[in-house]
Amino acid sequence: MKAIRIHGYGNADVLKYEDTKMPEPKENGARVKLEAIGVNFIDIYHRIGLYPNKLPFIPGMEGAGIVDKVGA
């Protein structure tokens, strides 16, 4: 799958469009095929490192779609 990934904190130049593995849902989780995605200030705060995430990460805190796989 393709995704925007962040490997280091900074301005919009740190956003990289690249191939990554399709995630598998955890035991009590679900995977959602996103159809609508919101990008908000929290995503900018994560990108600049104000609220750091474990690197690399895929930004995005809001989305809606269809569950396509569930965990055990």
Side-chain angles (χ1 to χ4, degrees):
M1 71 176 219
K2 291 284 197 179
I4 300 291
R5 294 179 72 195
I6 296 175
H7 295 272
Y9 302 113
N11 61 23
D13 294 342
V14 301
L15 300 170
K16 304 296 178 195
Y17 184 61
E18 57 191 30
D19 290 310
T20 188
K21 294 187 317 183
M22 178 74 72
E24 292 297 323
K26 296 182 180 175
E27 183 177 345
N28 293 319
R31 182 175 67 199
V32 177
K33 182 177 180 185
L34 294 173
E35 304 214 351
I37 302 162
V39 178
N40 297 298
F41 279 107
I42 188 67
D43 298 300
I44 295 170
Y45 297 155
H46 285 244
R47 186 194 76 217
I48 66 175
L50 184 61
Y51 298 111
N53 281 333
K54 183 179 174 187
L55 296 169
F57 68 93
I58 298 172
M61 301 296 292
E62 297 181 12
I66 298 169
V67 173
D68 74 343
K69 190 171 185 182
V70 296

